[in-house]
Amino acid sequence: MTGLLYDERFLLHRAPYAHPEHPGRLEAIQASLRKEGLVERCRRVQAREATAEELTSVHTEEHIAAIAATGQHDFTELDPDTYAGRESASAAWLAAGGLAELTAAVLGGQVGNGFALLRPPGHHAEADRPMGFCLFNNVAIAARKAQRLGVGRILIVDWDVHHGNGTQRTFWDDAEVLYFSTHQFPFYPGTGTILETGGDRARGYTVNVPWPGGMGDAEYLAAFERVLLPIARRFRPELVLVSCGFDAAKGDLLGQMLLTPEGYAALTSTLLGLARGRVVLALEGGYNLDAISAAACACLRVLIGELPGLQDFGQPNALAMRVLDQVILAQRPFWPEL
Ligand code: ZN
């Protein structure tokens, strides 16, 4: 059974002007899932507020207090990209706590895998500051939760079109958490080069695949097959958390990648072969409502157990293969199987 996290209160996080990260994103995805009859096939997991212990496992007290304080004002511009309305802090508490709850449900065996339709997103949020539409780093908090529940090896896969600077930094020196990211580069936020491979105590536990726009299904699958899977087979994760950005989809308003719903499904299917299928997808970015709805349906079908048909995604392009060659060169000292 797949656990589905969704809460109407995630819609209360909104800006008083047009912003790409708006409540309509979740409404569109939720409407599509309903139309395709997928919601009824999942077990609903209720959101709850993150505890202070969960939040401080990633964020500073000052950061948490600053986000809480936004609840006193109609609107706070936290940085030029990142806003908080009066209800945003409450949504952020529920998103972080909800994902921790869903992750615990997967680890406890109440559900086999999970999909979290949440906002605000999280992967840009750093320990001490909100950033890039993100207030709390939901996935990082969920990973810390899993560690506290005794999980020794966690794989975070970040296929959002942007690099998850906050997540990378959180686990920079932690060899229990392997962070793998594919992202457009150069691009916001500017981090995520091939040579960023982790701190002294965790060399090789940060794996970045930065590449130009124009990469599609064949290229992403090649990154998984040539880089992620050989490393993951050695690392043997007990849990896979996915920073599930649908802004790498074809037609996105911010990213220039070309992933199709079938491509996202194939990536999800690949991950289900790891960690005995204990995979949790947590929504990050994605700004084309049609594209994110189709991609979310495709991913959820795979989580539910519908096998994606065998597809020929063609050959990855030469530019992608050159980037992957460079990633392999940088990571091989830590992962001889590459
Ligand atoms: Zn993004």
Side-chain angles (χ1 to χ4, degrees):
M1 187 65 115
T2 296
L4 182 64
L5 171 72
Y6 181 72
D7 194 295
E8 300 283 334
R9 291 171 289 179
F10 296 151
L11 305 176
L12 298 176
H13 170 56
R14 56 176 72 232
Y17 51 81
H19 190 287
E21 206 294 275
H22 61 85
R25 300 173 58 238
L26 276 196
E27 291 175 315
I29 292 174
Q30 181 73 359
S32 287
L33 299 185
R34 283 199 187 287
K35 192 164 147 227
E36 300 212 6
L38 297 175
V39 173
E40 300 72 28
R41 297 170 64 189
C42 299
R43 180 174 302 170
R44 177 90 176 259
V45 172
Q46 295 293 334
R48 59 149 175 88
E49 291 192 344
T51 64
E53 186 192 17
E54 287 166 348
L55 293 176
T56 53
S57 70
V58 171
H59 295 288
T60 62
E61 302 273 4
E62 293 74 17
H63 174 77
I64 296 163
I67 299 302
T70 64
Q72 310 294 318
H73 308 280
D74 285 338
F75 184 71
T76 308
E77 194 179 60
L78 294 159
D79 73 23
D81 299 312
T82 313
Y83 66 88
R86 196 173 281 277
E87 306 295 334
S88 296
S90 151
W93 250 264
L94 290 165
L99 184 59
E101 190 71 17
L102 177 61
T103 301
V106 168
L107 294 173
Q110 291 92 336
V111 293
N113 55 43
F115 194 1
L117 291 176
L118 54 77
R119 51 186 296 282
H123 71 154
H124 295 305
E126 303 247 357
D128 57 355
R129 68 167 172 143
M131 193 176 150
F133 317 165
C134 302
L135 304 184
F136 293 140
N137 195 319
N138 307 310
V139 164
I141 291 165
R144 287 285 187 230
K145 177 77 177 181
Q147 287 181 306
R148 289 197 186 190
L149 292 173
V151 178
R153 293 180 310 278
I154 300 157
L155 169 63
I156 298 177
V157 174
D158 188 334
W159 64 43
D160 190 281
V161 76
H162 303 97
H163 181 244
N165 56 287
T167 313
Q168 172 173 297
R169 186 173 291 189
T170 301
F171 302 108
W172 183 249
D173 246 329
D174 189 339
E176 293 185 356
V177 179
L178 178 69
Y179 177 69
F180 172 89
S181 175
T182 48
H183 46 274
Q184 190 165 329
F185 190 89
F187 207 50
Y188 184 88
T191 50
T193 66
I194 288 172
L195 296 178
E196 293 165 37
T197 57
D200 287 341
R201 290 192 298 276
R203 292 258 180 252
Y205 291 86
T206 293
V207 181
N208 285 309
V209 179
W211 46 18
M215 303 300 170
D217 301 335
E219 289 75 32
Y220 275 81
L221 282 164
F224 272 39
E225 277 159 24
R226 291 190 62 199
V227 179
L228 176 61
L229 288 183
I231 292 175
R233 286 192 194 106
R234 160 70 76 92
F235 180 62
R236 291 184 301 113
E238 298 161 75
L239 171 71
V240 180
L241 296 171
V242 181
S243 266
C244 177
F246 291 132
D247 45 9
K250 188 176 179 187
D252 189 72
L253 310 183
L254 302 183
Q256 275 103 43
M257 296 304 183
L258 303 172
L259 272 175
T260 67
E262 293 74 26
Y264 273 111
L267 297 179
T268 304
S269 179
T270 302
L271 295 182
L272 283 178
L274 302 171
R276 290 185 288 126
R278 298 203 296 193
V279 174
V280 179
L281 271 52
L283 187 66
E284 298 279 2
Y287 305 100
N288 176 319
L289 299 190
D290 292 334
I292 66 177
S293 301
C297 287
C299 290
L300 186 52
R301 284 186 184 280
V302 173
L303 291 176
I304 287 172
E306 286 185 22
L307 288 177
L310 271 184
Q311 305 223 18
D312 182 5
F313 292 108
Q315 291 298 313
N317 64 47
L319 181 54
M321 293 304 262
R322 279 206 298 279
V323 172
L324 295 179
D325 286 342
Q326 290 168 7
V327 174
I328 288 167
L329 211 60
Q331 295 287 347
R332 194 174 280 146
F334 321 114
W335 305 100
E337 43 278 278
L338 284 175

